mmCIF file with all atom_site columns, all heavy atoms in Angstrom:
data_model
loop_
_atom_site.group_PDB
_atom_site.id
_atom_site.type_symbol
_atom_site.label_atom_id
_atom_site.label_alt_id
_atom_site.label_comp_id
_atom_site.label_asym_id
_atom_site.label_entity_id
_atom_site.label_seq_id
_atom_site.pdbx_PDB_ins_code
_atom_site.Cartn_x
_atom_site.Cartn_y
_atom_site.Cartn_z
_atom_site.occupancy
_atom_site.B_iso_or_equiv
_atom_site.pdbx_formal_charge
_atom_site.auth_seq_id
_atom_site.auth_comp_id
_atom_site.auth_asym_id
_atom_site.auth_atom_id
_atom_site.pdbx_PDB_model_num
ATOM 1   N N   . TYR Y 1 10  ? -6.895  4.901  6.619  1.00 54.00 ? 688  TYR Y N   1
ATOM 2   C CA  . TYR Y 1 10  ? -6.886  5.274  8.031  1.00 54.00 ? 688  TYR Y CA  1
ATOM 3   C C   . TYR Y 1 10  ? -7.999  6.290  8.346  1.00 54.00 ? 688  TYR Y C   1
ATOM 4   O O   . TYR Y 1 10  ? -8.736  6.177  9.312  1.00 54.00 ? 688  TYR Y O   1
ATOM 5   C CB  . TYR Y 1 10  ? -5.496  5.873  8.336  1.00 54.00 ? 688  TYR Y CB  1
ATOM 6   C CG  . TYR Y 1 10  ? -5.274  6.219  9.781  1.00 54.00 ? 688  TYR Y CG  1
ATOM 7   C CD1 . TYR Y 1 10  ? -5.324  5.229  10.773 1.00 54.00 ? 688  TYR Y CD1 1
ATOM 8   C CD2 . TYR Y 1 10  ? -4.973  7.516  10.160 1.00 54.00 ? 688  TYR Y CD2 1
ATOM 9   C CE1 . TYR Y 1 10  ? -5.109  5.559  12.103 1.00 54.00 ? 688  TYR Y CE1 1
ATOM 10  C CE2 . TYR Y 1 10  ? -4.753  7.846  11.482 1.00 54.00 ? 688  TYR Y CE2 1
ATOM 11  C CZ  . TYR Y 1 10  ? -4.827  6.862  12.458 1.00 54.00 ? 688  TYR Y CZ  1
ATOM 12  O OH  . TYR Y 1 10  ? -4.618  7.195  13.767 1.00 54.00 ? 688  TYR Y OH  1
ATOM 13  N N   . ILE Y 1 32  ? -32.470 11.325 26.985 1.00 97.00 ? 710  ILE Y N   1
ATOM 14  C CA  . ILE Y 1 32  ? -33.020 12.207 28.021 1.00 97.00 ? 710  ILE Y CA  1
ATOM 15  C C   . ILE Y 1 32  ? -32.691 13.630 27.621 1.00 97.00 ? 710  ILE Y C   1
ATOM 16  O O   . ILE Y 1 32  ? -31.549 13.919 27.248 1.00 97.00 ? 710  ILE Y O   1
ATOM 17  C CB  . ILE Y 1 32  ? -32.361 11.916 29.386 1.00 97.00 ? 710  ILE Y CB  1
ATOM 18  C CG1 . ILE Y 1 32  ? -32.571 10.470 29.804 1.00 97.00 ? 710  ILE Y CG1 1
ATOM 19  C CG2 . ILE Y 1 32  ? -32.859 12.884 30.453 1.00 97.00 ? 710  ILE Y CG2 1
ATOM 20  C CD1 . ILE Y 1 32  ? -33.911 10.157 30.374 1.00 97.00 ? 710  ILE Y CD1 1
ATOM 21  N N   . GLY Y 1 38  ? -37.887 25.434 31.114 1.00 98.00 ? 716  GLY Y N   1
ATOM 22  C CA  . GLY Y 1 38  ? -38.209 24.802 32.400 1.00 98.00 ? 716  GLY Y CA  1
ATOM 23  C C   . GLY Y 1 38  ? -37.456 23.504 32.647 1.00 98.00 ? 716  GLY Y C   1
ATOM 24  O O   . GLY Y 1 38  ? -37.517 22.963 33.747 1.00 98.00 ? 716  GLY Y O   1
ATOM 25  N N   . GLU Y 1 82  ? -33.938 6.450  38.257 1.00 98.00 ? 760  GLU Y N   1
ATOM 26  C CA  . GLU Y 1 82  ? -33.472 6.376  39.646 1.00 98.00 ? 760  GLU Y CA  1
ATOM 27  C C   . GLU Y 1 82  ? -32.721 7.651  40.007 1.00 98.00 ? 760  GLU Y C   1
ATOM 28  O O   . GLU Y 1 82  ? -31.761 8.012  39.326 1.00 98.00 ? 760  GLU Y O   1
ATOM 29  C CB  . GLU Y 1 82  ? -32.534 5.167  39.742 1.00 98.00 ? 760  GLU Y CB  1
ATOM 30  C CG  . GLU Y 1 82  ? -32.064 4.851  41.120 1.00 98.00 ? 760  GLU Y CG  1
ATOM 31  C CD  . GLU Y 1 82  ? -31.054 3.690  41.081 1.00 98.00 ? 760  GLU Y CD  1
ATOM 32  O OE1 . GLU Y 1 82  ? -31.309 2.685  40.389 1.00 98.00 ? 760  GLU Y OE1 1
ATOM 33  O OE2 . GLU Y 1 82  ? -29.995 3.843  41.714 1.00 98.00 ? 760  GLU Y OE2 1
ATOM 34  N N   . PRO Y 1 135 ? -45.367 21.269 35.350 1.00 98.00 ? 813  PRO Y N   1
ATOM 35  C CA  . PRO Y 1 135 ? -44.611 22.471 34.986 1.00 98.00 ? 813  PRO Y CA  1
ATOM 36  C C   . PRO Y 1 135 ? -45.459 23.609 34.409 1.00 98.00 ? 813  PRO Y C   1
ATOM 37  O O   . PRO Y 1 135 ? -46.493 23.373 33.781 1.00 98.00 ? 813  PRO Y O   1
ATOM 38  C CB  . PRO Y 1 135 ? -43.636 21.955 33.923 1.00 98.00 ? 813  PRO Y CB  1
ATOM 39  C CG  . PRO Y 1 135 ? -43.473 20.518 34.254 1.00 98.00 ? 813  PRO Y CG  1
ATOM 40  C CD  . PRO Y 1 135 ? -44.826 20.069 34.710 1.00 98.00 ? 813  PRO Y CD  1
ATOM 41  N N   . ILE Y 1 161 ? -36.725 44.165 31.688 1.00 98.00 ? 839  ILE Y N   1
ATOM 42  C CA  . ILE Y 1 161 ? -36.073 43.114 30.903 1.00 98.00 ? 839  ILE Y CA  1
ATOM 43  C C   . ILE Y 1 161 ? -35.154 42.334 31.846 1.00 98.00 ? 839  ILE Y C   1
ATOM 44  O O   . ILE Y 1 161 ? -34.440 42.911 32.663 1.00 98.00 ? 839  ILE Y O   1
ATOM 45  C CB  . ILE Y 1 161 ? -35.271 43.726 29.732 1.00 98.00 ? 839  ILE Y CB  1
ATOM 46  C CG1 . ILE Y 1 161 ? -36.205 44.549 28.808 1.00 98.00 ? 839  ILE Y CG1 1
ATOM 47  C CG2 . ILE Y 1 161 ? -34.532 42.650 28.935 1.00 98.00 ? 839  ILE Y CG2 1
ATOM 48  C CD1 . ILE Y 1 161 ? -37.313 43.761 28.135 1.00 98.00 ? 839  ILE Y CD1 1
ATOM 49  N N   . PRO Y 1 180 ? -59.549 54.035 40.339 1.00 96.00 ? 858  PRO Y N   1
ATOM 50  C CA  . PRO Y 1 180 ? -59.780 52.986 41.344 1.00 96.00 ? 858  PRO Y CA  1
ATOM 51  C C   . PRO Y 1 180 ? -59.748 53.531 42.770 1.00 96.00 ? 858  PRO Y C   1
ATOM 52  O O   . PRO Y 1 180 ? -59.038 54.502 43.054 1.00 96.00 ? 858  PRO Y O   1
ATOM 53  C CB  . PRO Y 1 180 ? -58.611 52.032 41.130 1.00 96.00 ? 858  PRO Y CB  1
ATOM 54  C CG  . PRO Y 1 180 ? -57.533 52.890 40.566 1.00 96.00 ? 858  PRO Y CG  1
ATOM 55  C CD  . PRO Y 1 180 ? -58.208 53.942 39.747 1.00 96.00 ? 858  PRO Y CD  1
ATOM 56  N N   . LEU Y 1 209 ? -61.920 38.583 36.410 1.00 97.00 ? 887  LEU Y N   1
ATOM 57  C CA  . LEU Y 1 209 ? -62.441 39.026 35.111 1.00 97.00 ? 887  LEU Y CA  1
ATOM 58  C C   . LEU Y 1 209 ? -63.803 38.450 34.757 1.00 97.00 ? 887  LEU Y C   1
ATOM 59  O O   . LEU Y 1 209 ? -64.556 39.063 33.999 1.00 97.00 ? 887  LEU Y O   1
ATOM 60  C CB  . LEU Y 1 209 ? -61.435 38.671 33.998 1.00 97.00 ? 887  LEU Y CB  1
ATOM 61  C CG  . LEU Y 1 209 ? -60.139 39.485 33.987 1.00 97.00 ? 887  LEU Y CG  1
ATOM 62  C CD1 . LEU Y 1 209 ? -59.161 38.891 32.984 1.00 97.00 ? 887  LEU Y CD1 1
ATOM 63  C CD2 . LEU Y 1 209 ? -60.423 40.947 33.639 1.00 97.00 ? 887  LEU Y CD2 1
ATOM 64  N N   . ILE Y 1 257 ? -30.298 43.003 43.969 1.00 98.00 ? 935  ILE Y N   1
ATOM 65  C CA  . ILE Y 1 257 ? -29.318 42.501 42.995 1.00 98.00 ? 935  ILE Y CA  1
ATOM 66  C C   . ILE Y 1 257 ? -30.019 41.930 41.759 1.00 98.00 ? 935  ILE Y C   1
ATOM 67  O O   . ILE Y 1 257 ? -29.376 41.696 40.749 1.00 98.00 ? 935  ILE Y O   1
ATOM 68  C CB  . ILE Y 1 257 ? -28.370 41.438 43.617 1.00 98.00 ? 935  ILE Y CB  1
ATOM 69  C CG1 . ILE Y 1 257 ? -29.167 40.233 44.152 1.00 98.00 ? 935  ILE Y CG1 1
ATOM 70  C CG2 . ILE Y 1 257 ? -27.518 42.047 44.711 1.00 98.00 ? 935  ILE Y CG2 1
ATOM 71  C CD1 . ILE Y 1 257 ? -28.267 39.079 44.594 1.00 98.00 ? 935  ILE Y CD1 1
ATOM 72  N N   . ILE Y 1 280 ? -50.250 40.243 47.647 1.00 98.00 ? 958  ILE Y N   1
ATOM 73  C CA  . ILE Y 1 280 ? -50.184 38.791 47.881 1.00 98.00 ? 958  ILE Y CA  1
ATOM 74  C C   . ILE Y 1 280 ? -49.049 38.211 47.039 1.00 98.00 ? 958  ILE Y C   1
ATOM 75  O O   . ILE Y 1 280 ? -48.925 38.511 45.845 1.00 98.00 ? 958  ILE Y O   1
ATOM 76  C CB  . ILE Y 1 280 ? -51.519 38.108 47.511 1.00 98.00 ? 958  ILE Y CB  1
ATOM 77  C CG1 . ILE Y 1 280 ? -52.643 38.614 48.428 1.00 98.00 ? 958  ILE Y CG1 1
ATOM 78  C CG2 . ILE Y 1 280 ? -51.400 36.587 47.616 1.00 98.00 ? 958  ILE Y CG2 1
ATOM 79  C CD1 . ILE Y 1 280 ? -54.027 38.103 48.054 1.00 98.00 ? 958  ILE Y CD1 1
ATOM 80  N N   . ASP Y 1 281 ? -48.239 37.389 47.683 1.00 98.00 ? 959  ASP Y N   1
ATOM 81  C CA  . ASP Y 1 281 ? -47.149 36.719 46.977 1.00 98.00 ? 959  ASP Y CA  1
ATOM 82  C C   . ASP Y 1 281 ? -47.397 35.210 47.063 1.00 98.00 ? 959  ASP Y C   1
ATOM 83  O O   . ASP Y 1 281 ? -47.530 34.665 48.166 1.00 98.00 ? 959  ASP Y O   1
ATOM 84  C CB  . ASP Y 1 281 ? -45.814 37.090 47.643 1.00 98.00 ? 959  ASP Y CB  1
ATOM 85  C CG  . ASP Y 1 281 ? -44.616 36.633 46.838 1.00 98.00 ? 959  ASP Y CG  1
ATOM 86  O OD1 . ASP Y 1 281 ? -44.741 36.474 45.604 1.00 98.00 ? 959  ASP Y OD1 1
ATOM 87  O OD2 . ASP Y 1 281 ? -43.539 36.445 47.448 1.00 98.00 ? 959  ASP Y OD2 1
ATOM 88  N N   . ASN Y 1 300 ? -46.630 37.699 59.186 1.00 95.00 ? 978  ASN Y N   1
ATOM 89  C CA  . ASN Y 1 300 ? -45.672 38.789 58.996 1.00 95.00 ? 978  ASN Y CA  1
ATOM 90  C C   . ASN Y 1 300 ? -45.094 39.208 60.347 1.00 95.00 ? 978  ASN Y C   1
ATOM 91  O O   . ASN Y 1 300 ? -45.777 39.122 61.371 1.00 95.00 ? 978  ASN Y O   1
ATOM 92  C CB  . ASN Y 1 300 ? -46.406 39.968 58.333 1.00 95.00 ? 978  ASN Y CB  1
ATOM 93  C CG  . ASN Y 1 300 ? -45.463 40.984 57.722 1.00 95.00 ? 978  ASN Y CG  1
ATOM 94  O OD1 . ASN Y 1 300 ? -44.757 41.705 58.423 1.00 95.00 ? 978  ASN Y OD1 1
ATOM 95  N ND2 . ASN Y 1 300 ? -45.460 41.043 56.407 1.00 95.00 ? 978  ASN Y ND2 1
ATOM 96  N N   . ILE Y 1 305 ? -49.723 44.078 60.526 1.00 97.00 ? 983  ILE Y N   1
ATOM 97  C CA  . ILE Y 1 305 ? -49.992 43.342 59.271 1.00 97.00 ? 983  ILE Y CA  1
ATOM 98  C C   . ILE Y 1 305 ? -50.490 41.934 59.609 1.00 97.00 ? 983  ILE Y C   1
ATOM 99  O O   . ILE Y 1 305 ? -51.435 41.430 58.989 1.00 97.00 ? 983  ILE Y O   1
ATOM 100 C CB  . ILE Y 1 305 ? -48.694 43.246 58.413 1.00 97.00 ? 983  ILE Y CB  1
ATOM 101 C CG1 . ILE Y 1 305 ? -48.211 44.642 57.994 1.00 97.00 ? 983  ILE Y CG1 1
ATOM 102 C CG2 . ILE Y 1 305 ? -48.907 42.339 57.201 1.00 97.00 ? 983  ILE Y CG2 1
ATOM 103 C CD1 . ILE Y 1 305 ? -48.945 45.288 56.855 1.00 97.00 ? 983  ILE Y CD1 1
ATOM 104 N N   . SER Y 1 313 ? -56.843 35.051 56.392 1.00 98.00 ? 991  SER Y N   1
ATOM 105 C CA  . SER Y 1 313 ? -56.713 33.593 56.466 1.00 98.00 ? 991  SER Y CA  1
ATOM 106 C C   . SER Y 1 313 ? -58.062 32.963 56.817 1.00 98.00 ? 991  SER Y C   1
ATOM 107 O O   . SER Y 1 313 ? -58.461 31.930 56.261 1.00 98.00 ? 991  SER Y O   1
ATOM 108 C CB  . SER Y 1 313 ? -55.633 33.264 57.507 1.00 98.00 ? 991  SER Y CB  1
ATOM 109 O OG  . SER Y 1 313 ? -55.558 31.894 57.732 1.00 98.00 ? 991  SER Y OG  1
ATOM 110 N N   . ASP Y 1 330 ? -53.825 26.290 60.183 1.00 97.00 ? 1008 ASP Y N   1
ATOM 111 C CA  . ASP Y 1 330 ? -52.484 26.078 59.616 1.00 97.00 ? 1008 ASP Y CA  1
ATOM 112 C C   . ASP Y 1 330 ? -51.692 27.373 59.426 1.00 97.00 ? 1008 ASP Y C   1
ATOM 113 O O   . ASP Y 1 330 ? -50.549 27.341 58.959 1.00 97.00 ? 1008 ASP Y O   1
ATOM 114 C CB  . ASP Y 1 330 ? -52.594 25.333 58.271 1.00 97.00 ? 1008 ASP Y CB  1
ATOM 115 C CG  . ASP Y 1 330 ? -53.189 23.943 58.455 1.00 97.00 ? 1008 ASP Y CG  1
ATOM 116 O OD1 . ASP Y 1 330 ? -52.829 23.282 59.452 1.00 97.00 ? 1008 ASP Y OD1 1
ATOM 117 O OD2 . ASP Y 1 330 ? -54.018 23.528 57.627 1.00 97.00 ? 1008 ASP Y OD2 1
ATOM 118 N N   . GLY Y 1 335 ? -42.452 33.887 64.149 1.00 95.00 ? 1013 GLY Y N   1
ATOM 119 C CA  . GLY Y 1 335 ? -41.775 33.408 65.360 1.00 95.00 ? 1013 GLY Y CA  1
ATOM 120 C C   . GLY Y 1 335 ? -42.022 31.929 65.624 1.00 95.00 ? 1013 GLY Y C   1
ATOM 121 O O   . GLY Y 1 335 ? -41.514 31.386 66.596 1.00 95.00 ? 1013 GLY Y O   1
ATOM 122 N N   . PRO Y 1 369 ? -49.317 23.875 48.276 1.00 98.00 ? 1047 PRO Y N   1
ATOM 123 C CA  . PRO Y 1 369 ? -48.494 22.670 48.088 1.00 98.00 ? 1047 PRO Y CA  1
ATOM 124 C C   . PRO Y 1 369 ? -48.328 22.207 46.636 1.00 98.00 ? 1047 PRO Y C   1
ATOM 125 O O   . PRO Y 1 369 ? -49.184 22.458 45.788 1.00 98.00 ? 1047 PRO Y O   1
ATOM 126 C CB  . PRO Y 1 369 ? -49.251 21.607 48.877 1.00 98.00 ? 1047 PRO Y CB  1
ATOM 127 C CG  . PRO Y 1 369 ? -50.052 22.362 49.876 1.00 98.00 ? 1047 PRO Y CG  1
ATOM 128 C CD  . PRO Y 1 369 ? -50.446 23.636 49.179 1.00 98.00 ? 1047 PRO Y CD  1
ATOM 129 N N   . ALA Y 1 383 ? -56.065 23.852 41.833 1.00 98.00 ? 1061 ALA Y N   1
ATOM 130 C CA  . ALA Y 1 383 ? -55.270 25.037 42.186 1.00 98.00 ? 1061 ALA Y CA  1
ATOM 131 C C   . ALA Y 1 383 ? -55.983 26.300 41.700 1.00 98.00 ? 1061 ALA Y C   1
ATOM 132 O O   . ALA Y 1 383 ? -56.046 27.306 42.409 1.00 98.00 ? 1061 ALA Y O   1
ATOM 133 C CB  . ALA Y 1 383 ? -53.878 24.934 41.568 1.00 98.00 ? 1061 ALA Y CB  1
ATOM 134 N N   . GLU Y 1 385 ? -59.161 26.633 41.314 1.00 98.00 ? 1063 GLU Y N   1
ATOM 135 C CA  . GLU Y 1 385 ? -60.334 26.786 42.188 1.00 98.00 ? 1063 GLU Y CA  1
ATOM 136 C C   . GLU Y 1 385 ? -59.937 27.493 43.486 1.00 98.00 ? 1063 GLU Y C   1
ATOM 137 O O   . GLU Y 1 385 ? -60.675 28.335 43.998 1.00 98.00 ? 1063 GLU Y O   1
ATOM 138 C CB  . GLU Y 1 385 ? -60.899 25.382 42.481 1.00 98.00 ? 1063 GLU Y CB  1
ATOM 139 C CG  . GLU Y 1 385 ? -62.181 25.339 43.260 1.00 98.00 ? 1063 GLU Y CG  1
ATOM 140 C CD  . GLU Y 1 385 ? -63.422 25.720 42.439 1.00 98.00 ? 1063 GLU Y CD  1
ATOM 141 O OE1 . GLU Y 1 385 ? -63.323 25.793 41.194 1.00 98.00 ? 1063 GLU Y OE1 1
ATOM 142 O OE2 . GLU Y 1 385 ? -64.468 25.963 43.068 1.00 98.00 ? 1063 GLU Y OE2 1
#
Side-chain angles (χ1 to χ4, degrees):
Y688 184 61
I710 301 281
E760 186 184 315
I839 301 298
L887 289 171
I935 59 172
I958 296 174
D959 190 25
N978 197 290
I983 297 282
S991 174
D1008 297 320
E1063 185 75 13

